[in-house]
Amino acid sequence: MHLVTIHEDDNVSVNLEDAHKYARRDIKNGEEIIKYGYPIGVATADIKKGEHVHSHNLKTQLSGINEYTYSPAFNEFNENANTHINAYVRKNGNIGIRNDIWVINTVGCINNVAEKIATENGVFAFPHPYGCSQSGEDFERTAKILCGLIKHPNAGGVLVLGLGCENTNIGVIKKFLGSYDAERIRFLNIQNCENELEEASGIISELKALAESDKRTSVPISKLKIGMKCGGSDGLSGITANPLVGKITEKITSSGGSAVLTEVPEMFGAEHILFNRCVDEEVFGKAVNLINNFKKYFISNGQPISENPSPGNKDGGITTLEEKSLGCIQKGGKAIVTDILDYGDTVEKAGLALLNGPGNDVVAITNLTAAGCHIILFTTGRGTPLGAPIPTIKISSNTALSLQKPHWIDFDAQADCHDGDKADRLMNFIIETANGKQTKNEIYGYREISIFKDGVIF
């Protein structure tokens, strides 16, 4: 075994060969297990030094709603803010790092029509099952997410395809959309036209002509917004890949850019660390509500808040949600939390934002895309081909995965694990991606969306 200790206070070490935990010393029944310098649960039996620590002798300590005190503990970072990328500057001042043409359908009834139009015209469509028979918050969430996609700056042009009788019909979407570039965002209600395929093709031809006239220009990296996600995690995710992404978060935010961390249930057990990095008490209060409201959502549905990790996570060495969460938040580095976003909100402020939403991979990457992120840094230990409508840089926590799935993985976080310039190399990769280099999800056409649903469908 090749054992490493993450924090000097830990009473377990991690085997780099299988990512499982082993006791550094004798641990008594009822004693807290410490990893990352924080408790990840409590021992359910006496554990001898060198013994395997996992589900058979470790359990969560998570329970219900907690109260918190604001105890700010953060430092400013000084990063070279002179770095530039080459991007498309939009009329409203936002930037796009891609200039694709998107077809966004307002309702799942026309998924196949949207996909057919996209295929015939060489553009992109993102099917989903919603947009009708929804009410209340579900209805609003669907409308907000669709509008976030419609106004995304990575799209050089968008055809909004409606049926006509759905809840989120084009008229409703326009109300949620607010101001928009009418030259680049077009609408087609297919119940009101004779041949939707021909009319759509004509609109897309016009959008393509507009996009072809666009040119990349140099802009400061402070304009860049990155999203962060982990999926198919293993015991190395919180040791190699997620801390590496955390260094990127620090670089981006200290340069005036924005980073977005979501997967709220995967903050449970580690939220106090994020709370103490909130820029002020107002943001702290919003962050507390973010966590406790999601816990209430679990409780209202009769589910324990510790209902995580997944079977794949456990096979990969992650035992409790506290352990998963402590590894998950490593993606935020030590950046200052400057904003709390609700589901469907758009990131506006520089710094690290916490975005309301579940940990489900497809829902989370859609959430990050709709929030206006240009790129998603997606760490994985067990692998997934999933990609968002935007460039999704897959970062493997272990070299074996990158060798097994080179068509999924863009960057290996374990290779040269102690190489000090790895964050710089990943940063250069991000800059290249922003400048136009395609990620594996783009090369292989892995672009998907899914919208969060909580209420009834009628």
Side-chain angles (χ1 to χ4, degrees), residues 367-405:
N367 196 8
L368 290 167
T369 303
C373 295
H374 299 104
I375 292 175
I376 294 174
L377 306 183
F378 193 124
T379 65
T380 182
R382 299 176 64 82
T384 173
L386 180 67
I390 58 178
T392 307
I393 298 176
K394 290 289 178 50
I395 303 168
S396 65
S397 69
N398 60 87
T399 300
L401 175 60
S402 68
L403 295 175
Q404 181 188 13
K405 296 291 187 181

Side-chain angles (χ1 to χ4, degrees), residues 324-361:
K324 186 175 183 180
S325 295
L326 286 164
C328 180
I329 69 163
Q330 300 288 324
K331 300 192 299 294
K334 295 182 179 179
I336 299 172
V337 178
T338 57
D339 204 5
I340 307 299
L341 304 175
D342 201 1
Y343 188 80
D345 285 352
T346 302
V347 58
E348 301 289 349
K349 294 181 179 179
L352 176 62
L354 307 183
L355 173 62
N356 188 21
N360 176 272
D361 290 356

Side-chain angles (χ1 to χ4, degrees), residues 87-372:
Y88 301 97
V89 180
R90 305 304 182 192
K91 287 182 180 179
N92 61 4
N94 289 338
I95 64 154
I97 64 167
R98 295 293 183 268
N99 212 32
D100 301 325
I101 306 299
W102 290 359
V103 178
I104 305 295
N105 51 295
T106 62
V107 64
C109 305
I110 55 175
N111 279 342
N112 288 337
V113 177
E115 289 185 283
K116 185 175 179 62
I117 289 169
T119 300
E120 290 184 355
N121 290 277
V123 298
F124 301 101
F126 311 109
H128 62 89
Y130 298 124
C132 202
S133 301
Q134 292 181 286
S135 61
E137 290 185 358
D138 274 355
F139 162 73
E140 291 190 5
R141 289 189 192 107
T142 296
K144 287 180 178 179
I145 291 297
L146 291 177
C147 287
L149 296 174
I150 291 167
K151 297 179 78 169
H152 199 285
N154 276 14
V158 177
L159 170 59
V160 182
L161 198 69
L163 180 58
C165 54
E166 66 274 21
N167 292 82
T168 53
N169 60 68
I170 286 175
V172 169
I173 287 294
K174 285 184 176 180
K175 292 179 181 178
F176 278 90
L177 200 58
S179 62
Y180 63 92
D181 184 351
E183 187 179 36
R184 299 297 181 113
I185 297 175
R186 308 286 185 87
F187 300 88
L188 179 63
N189 191 336
I190 69 173
Q191 284 179 341
N192 296 340
C193 64
E194 183 174 345
N195 189 320
E196 63 273 10
L197 299 180
E198 288 184 3
E199 291 201 30
S201 293
I203 294 171
I204 289 173
S205 293
E206 294 174 5
L207 292 174
K208 282 184 172 180
L210 289 170
E212 287 172 0
S213 67
D214 295 333
K215 304 297 181 185
R216 289 182 181 269
T217 59
S218 179
V219 298
I221 202 166
S222 59
K223 292 279 191 179
L224 192 64
K225 301 173 182 179
I226 62 168
M228 297 169 288
K229 174 74 183 87
C230 52
S233 301
D234 68 355
L236 292 179
S237 294
I239 301 173
T240 59
N242 291 352
L244 177 60
V245 169
K247 292 184 182 299
I248 299 300
T249 300
E250 293 167 4
K251 287 176 177 289
I252 292 289
T253 57
S254 62
S255 296
S258 305
V260 185
L261 184 66
T262 187
E263 305 177 275
V264 174
E266 296 179 18
M267 300 176 192
F268 295 171
E271 67 269 25
H272 54 287
I273 301 172
L274 294 171
F275 291 168
N276 291 340
R277 295 215 309 272
C278 289
V279 67
D280 55 37
E281 287 203 58
E282 180 182 1
V283 173
F284 164 74
K286 291 179 179 179
V288 170
N289 288 335
L290 175 74
I291 296 295
N292 282 341
N293 286 341
F294 221 104
K295 288 183 177 180
K296 291 175 184 177
Y297 163 64
F298 273 56
I299 294 168
S300 68
N301 284 278
Q303 298 299 315
I305 64 170
S306 58
E307 190 59 31
N308 209 327
S310 70
N313 294 155
K314 290 182 178 180
D315 287 344
I318 300 173
T319 312
T320 65
L321 183 51
E322 297 101 305
E323 180 180 6
K324 186 175 183 180
S325 295
L326 286 164
C328 180
I329 69 163
Q330 300 288 324
K331 300 192 299 294
K334 295 182 179 179
I336 299 172
V337 178
T338 57
D339 204 5
I340 307 299
L341 304 175
D342 201 1
Y343 188 80
D345 285 352
T346 302
V347 58
E348 301 289 349
K349 294 181 179 179
L352 176 62
L354 307 183
L355 173 62
N356 188 21
N360 176 272
D361 290 356
V362 195
V363 174
I365 62 172
T366 306
N367 196 8
L368 290 167
T369 303

Side-chain angles (χ1 to χ4, degrees), residues 61-76:
Q61 294 187 97
L62 291 177
S63 54
I65 307 300
N66 296 327
E67 294 184 1
Y68 305 90
T69 301
Y70 182 47
S71 302
F74 54 79
N75 297 308
E76 299 283 352

Side-chain angles (χ1 to χ4, degrees), residues 371-442:
C373 295
H374 299 104
I375 292 175
I376 294 174
L377 306 183
F378 193 124
T379 65
T380 182
R382 299 176 64 82
T384 173
L386 180 67
I390 58 178
T392 307
I393 298 176
K394 290 289 178 50
I395 303 168
S396 65
S397 69
N398 60 87
T399 300
L401 175 60
S402 68
L403 295 175
Q404 181 188 13
K405 296 291 187 181
H407 53 294
W408 291 359
I409 302 300
D410 297 281
F411 196 93
D412 178 4
Q414 186 183 36
D416 302 321
C417 191
H418 301 292
D419 189 346
D421 70 351
K422 183 173 293 186
D424 291 334
R425 288 193 279 120
L426 179 54
M427 192 68 197
N428 288 336
F429 189 95
I430 292 167
I431 292 170
E432 290 175 357
T433 300
N435 290 344
K437 178 180 179 178
Q438 287 202 324
T439 56
K440 297 295 175 63
N441 82 291
E442 294 180 290

